[in-house]
Amino acid sequence: MPSAALSPAGTTSASTHRPSVQSREIGAALQHAQRRSNLTQAQIADKLGWSDAKTSRIVTGYMSATSLDVATFLVAAEAVSQEIDRVSAVAELSPRAYSVQAHPVDLPDILPTLLYLGANARTIISYQPHQLPHLAQSAGYTEIILRASGLLAQDTVRDGAAARQERQTILTWPQCPTTTMYIDQTVLSRSLPQQVATEQRLQLHTLVRHPRCHLRIIPATCASTATPGFTLFQDDRGNEVVTAFTPTAMLVLDHPDHLAPYQQTIARLASRALTETPSTSRLLAPGTFGGATAC
């Protein structure tokens, strides 16, 4: 039997029988608003004149919601206008636009989709070949990374660093996702100002002691810097999504054909990486980040 052809959005006709990432994101936002309103789904359906079946399929992601559906539901749930605008904007995206989301240089952290995936993940696996993984960065480290492009205003750099720190709060939750971060050894030799280096080593020290965080070093002889930065998210229903990063856009991939190369890369990283004990020793070494440099 021939395989189904990919559509521009990277889906097949068979994939319409499972919720897309986009519909799951919208459904999660609607469920959150409904719970906050203290109304049941049946009560909101009654207010809107919708059938229980339609309401259930929209909030579980099995039925695509139009921006009008989203706005109507959120108004019934007494959501604030900012939330209505944000979720409606996600619903307005075409599947292709959802799959390729533009952002300021090196700042995918501001995208609601990335926040949604992190907040709903059971496991996260991350690799950034030229920098520390986003979830491991101190604010000062992030600011240096963002300033390096020379394309962002200082206010944007500060706001971007704050957004990345806010995204890291998922690691403080009681049931936070199990997170594995692969770090190229060459990244640790990047010279940083003394205060930034000290703060970053402190953050790494906290992470290596975290029972659900696993930081593993890729030796310099095994590094693969040609691989783009990416993160794989898996939720508690087994749905897998990869976000891959270009300087100004985030790719959102969930078709098995698109996931396979990243899963293979993860297998290679796992086979090449140091185990956690030597990785920890290397991460916390006094010379990490090159010692003190001028600001």
Side-chain angles (χ1 to χ4, degrees):
M1 180 177 178
S3 59
L6 291 178
S7 75
T11 61
T12 68
S13 57
S15 70
T16 58
H17 298 296
R18 63 182 177 88
S20 67
V21 189
Q22 184 176 14
S23 63
R24 293 200 306 270
E25 178 180 348
I26 293 167
L30 299 185
Q31 288 182 57
H32 179 72
Q34 176 237 309
R35 287 193 296 268
R36 195 178 54 230
S37 72
N38 292 320
L39 296 172
T40 65
Q41 280 187 29
Q43 287 172 323
I44 288 183
D46 186 59
K47 288 177 70 173
L48 300 178
W50 292 359
S51 68
D52 290 340
K54 173 181 176 177
T55 308
S56 176
R57 289 180 65 79
I58 285 178
V59 300
T60 56
Y62 279 93
M63 178 177 175
S64 296
T66 66
S67 58
L68 179 59
D69 288 334
V70 166
T72 302
F73 187 103
L74 291 175
V75 168
E78 301 178 355
V80 298
S81 59
Q82 183 179 9
E83 183 177 12
I84 295 171
D85 291 343
R86 178 183 64 79
V87 186
S88 296
V90 174
E92 287 174 354
L93 295 174
S94 68
R96 180 182 290 276
Y98 184 87
S99 297
V100 184
Q101 299 187 30
H103 55 72
V105 177
D106 288 333
L107 257 183
D109 310 79
I110 67 171
L111 297 173
T113 295
L114 193 55
L115 301 177
Y116 156 73
L117 291 170
N120 289 273
R122 183 181 66 185
T123 62
I124 298 174
I125 301 174
S126 183
Y127 176 60
Q128 297 287 120
H130 303 293
Q131 58 183 274
L132 291 173
H134 294 165
L135 292 178
Q137 294 180 10
S138 67
Y141 184 98
T142 300
E143 288 195 25
I144 286 175
I145 293 294
L146 297 180
R147 281 202 301 266
S149 72
L151 299 174
L152 298 176
Q154 185 56 35
D155 286 350
T156 303
V157 168
R158 286 194 296 267
D159 291 346
R164 189 158 296 175
Q165 291 293 297
E166 178 64 23
R167 191 156 67 86
Q168 293 173 10
T169 59
I170 61 172
L171 300 180
T172 68
W173 296 354
Q175 296 299 318
C176 75
T178 299
T179 304
T180 301
M181 306 182 213
Y182 292 102
I183 302 171
D184 277 350
Q185 183 175 343
T186 53
V187 169
L188 304 180
S189 63
R190 179 175 188 155
S191 293
L192 299 175
Q194 183 175 12
Q195 181 178 350
V196 175
T198 300
E199 290 174 352
Q200 183 60 72
R201 284 197 296 268
L202 179 60
Q203 181 147 337
L204 291 174
H205 186 271
T206 300
L207 290 175
V208 298
R209 293 167 60 88
H210 193 301
R212 292 177 182 260
C213 289
H214 309 282
L215 278 62
R216 297 183 61 190
I217 298 296
I218 308 296
T221 54
C222 300
S224 178
T225 55
T227 301
F230 69 91
T231 301
L232 184 145
F233 301 89
Q234 185 182 70
D235 67 17
D236 58 6
R237 295 187 177 184
N239 296 306
E240 290 189 326
V241 180
V242 161
T243 56
F245 306 108
T246 75
T248 57
M250 180 179 77
L251 309 182
V252 183
L253 310 170
D254 72 336
H255 189 277
D257 289 349
H258 295 162
L259 294 176
Y262 295 95
Q263 293 165 334
Q264 292 168 2
T265 296
I266 289 170
R268 287 197 299 270
L269 291 171
S271 68
R272 296 172 179 176
L274 301 178
T275 57
E276 288 189 58
T277 298
S279 291
T280 297
S281 297
R282 180 65 187 88
L283 285 167
L284 303 183
T288 302
F289 307 118
T293 65
C295 292

